[in-house]
Amino acid sequence: MSFSKEERALLMGAPGLGPAVIDRLEQVGVDSVQRLVDMGAEAAVSAVCRQLGTLSWANRLRALQRFCSAAEQARRASPARSAAAASPHRI
């Protein structure tokens, strides 16, 4: 699976995140913002680094941490939206 168009646009709008980052996340099974937030930026970066066999991708950690933090704050601010995002169809 892959990020929805809307989630892809959100990720692309974040500083330091682009199509290559999104592709790498999808390759390790991170296919939604909810899954990324639940997994955490550190675990997502570790998974990509393991897959690549190098730590060079670790430079994306701060950008992913900022994004996850903002996504979590938005989720807390909007309980109805959170319930929809946590739907089993989204995970």
Side-chain angles (χ1 to χ4, degrees):
M1 294 207 51
S2 60
F3 287 95
S4 69
K5 286 183 191 179
E6 294 83 9
E7 289 179 330
R8 187 172 280 273
L10 283 173
L11 286 161
M12 295 280 291
L17 303 180
V21 172
I22 296 167
D23 291 344
R24 293 284 188 205
L25 290 171
E26 290 172 342
Q27 289 170 8
V28 296
V30 180
D31 58 5
S32 71
V33 169
Q34 183 65 47
R35 190 177 301 260
L36 176 59
V37 169
D38 289 346
M39 179 182 218
E42 294 85 359
V45 167
S46 292
V48 172
C49 287
R50 276 192 309 276
Q51 183 192 47
L52 295 175
T54 178
L55 296 177
S56 65
W57 209 77
N59 64 352
R60 293 290 158 230
L61 179 58
R62 288 187 61 190
L64 284 170
Q65 285 173 325
R66 285 190 302 266
F67 180 83
C68 287
S69 178
E72 183 63 27
Q73 289 174 358
R75 181 169 65 174
R76 287 184 188 144
S78 178
R81 188 173 183 186
S82 296
S87 161
H89 300 290
R90 304 275 303 161
I91 296 177

